[in-house]
């Protein structure tokens, strides 16, 4: 099966790895220009080289996965059987991408989006073919879950097909009905927002909030470290969707979160967030 992954950022390249390392799958990793797509693949190559050096991956395995990934712009997806879109979290950007892809991809191609919180029904509305949610978690090669979200225009066979593909690539799919933030982000992102409120109120320091949640709740990383890892712009965007969609003040983004995003403190990707991150 040929899979076109649209967006070669952290999520897109992680998703590309997941498919490319599974027998029977070939990947087209795409971005708005060929250089950005190649950059996404180069990042994978660098991470694989580290894993080879640490004895966690065979050199041949590394070469085989990389050989399975072709990079370019979305036009290389002309014979793709499945599209997984992991581009900017903007409805108009995603709708435009799907419109253009539907015009060039085979008649029986499947179209999936990795959106973290946008409405799948709205995304599919007005398009020639259905769109389904296939939501991976960061880091995609490690996290086992895939949320499969059917919007109003997704037929049940499409849900079954995506559930089967998710299992084939070694993930555990969970079927989710469309709702703001689906399941994980509805619960996880407000927790990160709450941790920021706790920090804002001066209840504890960044380090102590994270220590409390890793040691007291056995989370793999503290909520503020996780916010930096996911990207504070993404955290804010998801909180905005939860707040706007529900009108419930419990989803109001923390003022400190807004301020940090406005000031370009986005976490790992910008080098500064609740922690300082060096390359
Ligand atoms: N490919 C395959 N395997 C890899 C890999 C890669 N690129 N990189 C690492 N691994 C393997 C490692 O070899 C290791 O395997 P081993 O146990 O057999 O040695 C295993 O994966 C764990 O790797 P690390 O030791 O590097 O990682 P840590 O144990 O330090 O854990 C973490 C890192 C997985 C990020 C962990 O801290 C964690 O689970 N954090 C929480 C992440 C989370 O909550 N993600 C969800 C965010 S929300 C989201 O994504 C939704 C979106 O819409 C916003």
């Amino acid at each position: 099966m040929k899979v076109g992954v649209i967006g070669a950022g952290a999520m897109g390249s992680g998703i590309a790895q997941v498919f490319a390392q599974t027998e029977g799958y070939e990947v087209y990793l795409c971005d708005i220009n060929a250089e950005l797509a190649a950059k996404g693949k180069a990042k994978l190559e660098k991470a694989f080289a580290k894993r080879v050096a640490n004895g966690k991956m065979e050199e041949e395995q590394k070469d085989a996965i990389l050989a399975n990934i072709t990079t370019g712009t979305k036009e290389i997806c002309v014979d793709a059987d499945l599209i997984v879109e992991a581009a900017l979290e903007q409805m108009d950007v995603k709708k435009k991408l799907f419109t253009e892809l539907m015009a060039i991809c085979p008649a029986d191609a499947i179209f999936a989006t990795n959106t973290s919180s946008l409405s799948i029904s709205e995304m599919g509305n007005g398009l020639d073919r259905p769109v389904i949610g296939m939501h991976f978690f960061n880091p995609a090669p490690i996290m086992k879950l895939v949320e499969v979200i059917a919007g109003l225009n997704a037929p049940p066979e499409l849900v079954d097909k995506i559930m089967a593909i998710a299992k084939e690539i070694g993930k555990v799919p969970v079927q989710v009905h469309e709702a703001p933030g689906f399941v994980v982000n509805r619960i996880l992102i407000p927790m990160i927002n709450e941790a920021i409120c706790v920090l804002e109120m001066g209840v504890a320091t960044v380090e102590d909030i994270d220590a409390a949640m890793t040691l007291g709740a056995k989370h793999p990383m503290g909520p503020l470290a996780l916010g930096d890892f996911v990207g504070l712009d993404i955290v804010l965007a998801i909180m905005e969707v939860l707040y706007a969609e529900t009108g419930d003040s419990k989803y109001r983004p923390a003022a400190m979160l807004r301020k940090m995003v406005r000031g370009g403190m986005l976490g790992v990707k910008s080098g500064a967030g609740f922690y300082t991150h060096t390359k």
Side-chain angles (χ1 to χ4, degrees):
M1 178 179 261
K2 291 184 173 141
V3 184
V5 179
I6 312 297
M11 281 312 288
S13 49
I15 294 168
Q17 178 190 334
V18 173
F19 281 103
Q21 69 195 11
T22 308
E23 215 185 308
Y25 287 89
E26 276 174 58
V27 174
Y28 296 132
L29 179 59
C30 307
D31 213 308
I32 47 171
N33 59 53
E35 292 70 35
L36 277 177
K39 224 169 156 184
K41 183 173 173 180
K43 271 195 191 148
L44 283 181
E45 194 165 359
K46 208 168 151 196
F48 291 173
K50 237 190 216 165
R51 288 175 60 71
V52 169
N54 293 339
K56 301 237 169 174
M57 188 186 242
E58 299 291 333
E59 184 83 41
E60 301 76 52
Q61 196 189 359
K62 162 183 161 270
D63 294 342
I65 299 172
L66 291 171
N68 229 356
I69 303 176
T70 306
T71 58
T73 57
K74 65 178 183 313
E75 285 69 29
I76 63 173
C77 296
V78 278
D79 59 347
D81 305 290
L82 167 68
I83 295 290
V84 180
E85 171 277 320
L88 275 186
E89 278 293 280
Q90 286 174 16
M91 186 61 81
D92 52 340
V93 170
K94 291 183 189 288
K95 281 187 92 104
K96 184 166 180 284
L97 268 172
F98 279 122
T99 305
E100 290 167 359
L101 283 160
M102 284 176 189
I104 61 165
C105 291
D108 56 354
I110 300 171
F111 297 89
T113 172
N114 179 57
T115 183
S116 53
S117 61
L118 298 177
S119 163
I120 313 287
S121 295
E122 186 181 347
M123 211 177 291
N125 186 17
L127 297 180
D128 291 343
R129 290 183 255 171
V131 170
I132 188 162
M134 187 177 197
H135 186 207
F136 291 80
F137 293 82
N138 192 13
I142 302 178
M143 306 304 276
K144 292 298 270 184
L145 180 69
V146 168
E147 288 178 327
V148 178
I149 311 116
L152 280 179
N153 56 10
E157 332 55 281
L158 183 56
V159 176
D160 295 344
K161 182 86 191 155
I162 293 290
M163 295 284 286
I165 291 172
K167 283 182 196 158
E168 216 167 67
I169 57 174
K171 299 298 181 191
V172 178
V174 166
Q175 198 188 331
V176 174
H177 296 296
E178 184 172 324
F182 316 128
V183 170
V184 173
N185 284 342
R186 173 78 171 256
I187 298 168
L188 186 71
I189 302 298
M191 182 200 67
I192 296 173
N193 191 58
E194 192 60 27
I196 301 170
C197 293
V198 166
L199 177 68
E200 235 173 359
M201 291 172 76
V203 177
T205 62
V206 167
E207 291 76 11
D208 284 350
I209 290 169
D210 278 351
M213 292 305 286
T214 50
L215 302 175
K218 211 169 184 354
H219 289 193
M221 62 208 292
L224 300 172
L226 184 56
D228 273 8
F229 178 67
V230 168
L232 297 178
D233 52 337
I234 305 283
V235 172
L236 177 59
I238 296 170
M239 287 308 295
E240 300 273 31
V241 168
L242 293 175
Y243 189 33
E245 290 283 323
T246 62
D248 192 329
S249 63
K250 75 180 175 186
Y251 297 116
R252 192 170 49 221
M256 181 185 265
L257 173 62
R258 267 190 210 289
K259 193 157 60 174
M260 289 174 76
V261 173
R262 284 175 179 156
M265 293 178 73
L266 309 181
V268 175
K269 68 175 97 165
S270 73
F274 294 104
Y275 297 88
T276 301
H277 305 273
T278 49
K279 293 216 164 161

